[in-house]
Each structure stands twice: as structure tokens, then as C-alpha cells.
Amino acid sequence: MIASIASTHEVLDLCERHRIYPEVELIPVQELNRAFEALSGSNDAGVRFVLDLAGSLTEEAFSTCVAPPPVLQDHTADV
């Protein structure tokens, strides 16, 4: 279900009042495939991944990003 902007603001305000914050994992760009694989699964932990672009997206990063494409689960049956 997609909520309205007003409903979304209401939920964000409630979270702020009660200091409810998401669990965030800051990861370098080299770990992007791992994040995709985690999100492709159930992500039971509810972790939100944030890419550290300023700290890890450098010229050197391009030479270290040699991992194969992520293995994603097939969700076509879910549609």
C-alpha cells in the first residue's frame, strides 16, 4: 500500500517524537553487490543500506570492483 504525503509525514513525525530510527549500514561502493543480494532475499533484519560515495567512490575503486554480478532471487512468481 502506498500512503499519501500527509500520511508519510505523520509516520515520520511519530518516529521522530518516539526516537524510532531505522537500522542503517554504511557500506563502500565495492560492497554494492552484497547489498543487492541481501535486499533480493527476505531482508528479515530490516537493514537499510547507504552507499558511502564520498568515502569510497574513487578512481582506485574502479580497479577494485571486479566482483561478478550479484545473484538475485527470482521474484517473478510473486507478481
Side-chain angles (χ1 to χ4, degrees), residues 15-29:
C15 291
E16 178 64 26
R17 278 195 309 276
H18 296 282
R19 297 180 183 264
I20 301 169
Y21 303 111
E23 184 176 342
V24 176
E25 184 177 340
L26 183 66
I27 62 170
V29 295

Side-chain angles (χ1 to χ4, degrees), residues 27 31-41 49 70-73:
I27 62 170
E31 295 184 25
L32 180 60
N33 286 352
R34 182 179 65 83
F36 273 122
E37 289 173 351
L39 294 173
S40 174
F49 295 97
V71 177
L72 305 178
Q73 294 183 11

Side-chain angles (χ1 to χ4, degrees), residues 26-73:
L26 183 66
I27 62 170
V29 295
Q30 293 86 344
E31 295 184 25
L32 180 60
N33 286 352
R34 182 179 65 83
F36 273 122
E37 289 173 351
L39 294 173
S40 174
S42 63
N43 192 20
D44 289 335
V47 175
R48 300 298 174 248
F49 295 97
V50 176
L51 289 177
D52 181 12
L53 295 178
S56 64
L57 188 59
T58 62
E59 290 295 325
E60 295 81 30
F62 288 103
S63 63
T64 62
C65 290
V66 294
V71 177
L72 305 178
Q73 294 183 11

